[in-house]
């Protein structure tokens, strides 16, 4: 008998916790079983049960060109034919670094790693090593990957599953992470006052994506930069999600605020495991072998992943109106959803940064995690399932973003809005 998503999940549960290799994939907060995906092209994913969906998950961010883009696939296949990994430097790594610098001019020096988790974890070690200070500050509901010191009050799956504090993280480690609300510069100032000379860095998603999308209020990023600089602390922008989402650059370019260090992931690998951290040359020179802060990786700068990254960034860069088109499609979806929700009399708040957006089932503006947390997650879960039944594939959590790719057409959006109108009517 042919496998279905249901039987495939039973099988997978025998070997993987929850049957998955990353928790939010399990659909736990929305109910029902996850779809097993067979293939994906452009804006569509196909499950093994024979259904076609319009995809707004986009592998949780990387697939800005849509799935199986032929240029990226060719680059990956051609590169793989010459060897999958050497553990030695290649010229292509420098080429990708130069492309990234065009988008992030503040990344004078950088290091390639294999996941966003590694990028933020390494950036924090660097900040501590460079400043010789123990404490770090992060925002409630921000997700910077699953390193011990960053899982404190984390977003994404931690928020979705309502995990209060993660077992396995020693008190001694958690104590060195201070958490404050996003968009609250006064709270950061208070941290610096309370712990003079002890705070190594403030790590922040300049546009939050992992409590759902939350934008910085005007002046917030400028203010945190000023405060960090006055306190001698490193400002780290985690742009793993926001990088390349609204322009050929990140929130740093979009809002004109330059951090000391930047973390990138997702889009830079074009669907392959690749992430980056980098920034001011003086700070980066503390990284081994130039300096004493150790960080390494067997598959770092992997040739196949680098080829995928180069092909992806080149395609974006060489397309003069890429972000105009992406913004148009994204705006069509965003405006449409707001209008339809209002017509249906359902209270929602939608936040958007370029091609990433979240519609919160909330009635007050969402400016930080405490606001996002007031969303009606039960209502979201029902809406999610109604949308899925109409073949619209959204992230299975209120606290995640929907991603629009360049492969999404206005017809895709129209179909999505029809499904949304019907789903709202059924709520
Ligand atoms: C996805 C994400 C990470 C973690 O990246 P992984 O590749 O999943 O380890 C870190 N920070 C932000 C802002 C992210 O969105």
């Amino acid at each position: 008998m042919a496998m279905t998503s249901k039987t495939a999940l039973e099988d997978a549960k025998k070997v993987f916790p929850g049957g998955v290799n990353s928790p939010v994939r399990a659909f736990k907060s929305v109910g029902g079983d996850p779809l097993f995906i067979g293939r994906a092209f452009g804006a569509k994913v196909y499950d093994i049960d024979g259904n076609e969906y319009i995809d707004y998950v986009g592998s949780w961010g990387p697939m800005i060109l849509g799935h199986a883009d032929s240029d990226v696939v060719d680059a990956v296949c051609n590169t793989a034919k010459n060897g999958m990994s050497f553990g030695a430097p290649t010229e292509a790594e420098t080429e990708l670094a130069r492309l990234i610098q065009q988008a992030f001019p503040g990344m004078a020096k950088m290091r390639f790693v294999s996941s966003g988790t590694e990028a933020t974890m390494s950036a924090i070690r660097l900040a501590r090593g460079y400043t010789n200070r123990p404490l770090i500050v992060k925002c409630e509901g921000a997700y910077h990957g699953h390193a011990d010191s960053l899982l404190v009050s984390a977003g994404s799956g931690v928020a979705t599953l309502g995990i209060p504090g993660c077992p396995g993280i020693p008190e001694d480690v958690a104590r060195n992470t201070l958490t404050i609300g996003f968009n609250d510069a006064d709270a950061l100032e208070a941290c610096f006052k309370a712990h003079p000379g002890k705070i190594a860095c403030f790590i922040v998603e300049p546009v939050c994506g992992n409590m759902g999308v939350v934008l910085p209020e005007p002046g917030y990023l400028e203010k945190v930069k000023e405060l960090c600089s006055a306190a001698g602390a490193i400002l780290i922008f985690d742009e793993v999600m926001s990088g390349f989402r609204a322009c050929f650059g990140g929130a740093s370019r979009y809002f004109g605020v330059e951090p000391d260090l930047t973390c990138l992931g997702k889009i830079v690998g074009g669907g392959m495991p690749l992430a980056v951290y980098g920034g001011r040359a003086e700070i980066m020179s503390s990284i081994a072998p130039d300096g004493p802060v150790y960080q390494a990786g067997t598959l770092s700068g992997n040739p196949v992943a680098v080829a995928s990254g180069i092909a992806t960034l080149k395609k974006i860069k060489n397309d003069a109106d890429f972000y105009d088109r992406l913004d148009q499609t994204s705006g069509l979806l965003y405006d449409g959803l707001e209008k339809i929700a209002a017509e249906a009399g359902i209270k929602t708040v939608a936040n958007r940064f370029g091609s990433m957006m979240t519609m919160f089932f909330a009635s007050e503006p969402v400016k930080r995690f405490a606001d996002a947390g007031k969303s009606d997650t039960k209502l979201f879960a029902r809406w999610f399932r109604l949308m899925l039944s109409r073949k619209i594939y959204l992230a299975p959590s209120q606290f995640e973003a929907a991603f629009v790719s360049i492969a999404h057409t206005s017809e895709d959006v129209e179909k999505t809005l029809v499904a949304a109108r019907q789903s709202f009517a059924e709520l």
Side-chain angles (χ1 to χ4, degrees), residues 42-239:
K44 310 280 165 57
V45 295
Y46 301 82
D47 66 12
I48 61 171
D49 313 279
N51 299 301
E52 175 187 294
Y53 297 83
I54 301 176
D55 177 31
Y56 293 101
V57 178
S59 186
W60 303 85
M63 311 317 297
I64 196 164
L65 298 180
H67 295 281
D69 176 88
S70 60
D71 292 326
V72 178
V73 171
D74 284 350
V76 163
C77 293
N78 291 334
T79 304
K81 283 177 194 154
N82 288 317
M84 303 277 281
S85 182
F86 317 123
T90 60
E91 293 164 285
E93 289 159 72
T94 310
E95 186 186 350
L96 179 57
R98 292 293 184 208
L99 268 169
I100 291 170
Q101 281 178 332
Q102 289 171 31
F104 292 84
M107 295 175 79
K109 283 211 171 162
M110 66 188 81
R111 170 69 53 88
F112 289 165
V113 290
S114 300
S115 70
T117 293
E118 260 188 281
T120 55
M121 180 185 83
S122 309
I124 276 171
R125 182 181 305 141
L126 170 60
R128 283 178 160 146
Y130 177 80
T131 59
N132 196 24
R133 296 174 176 188
L135 304 180
I136 67 167
V137 184
K138 76 176 281 287
C139 291
E140 286 150 14
Y143 181 68
H144 303 291
H146 63 85
D148 282 357
S149 57
L150 291 167
L151 268 190
V152 180
S153 300
S156 191
V158 184
T160 301
L161 301 175
I163 295 174
C166 178
I169 299 174
E171 183 63 40
D172 283 348
V173 172
R175 197 182 316 141
N176 288 313
T177 302
L178 311 173
T179 55
I180 57 175
F182 183 65
N183 270 327
D184 188 351
D186 290 347
L188 183 61
E189 190 166 15
C191 283
F192 285 133
K193 274 219 177 86
H195 307 276
K198 292 279 183 242
I199 295 172
C201 66
F202 175 45
I203 182 166
V204 63
E205 297 178 65
V207 172
C208 298
N210 291 287
M211 55 180 89
V213 175
V214 178
L215 297 165
E217 294 192 286
Y220 173 67
L221 297 176
E222 289 85 348
K223 184 73 189 168
V224 300
K225 179 176 167 128
E226 200 182 295
L227 289 170
C228 286
S229 159
I234 307 283
L235 176 61
I236 305 173
F237 276 4
D238 178 356
E239 300 229 47

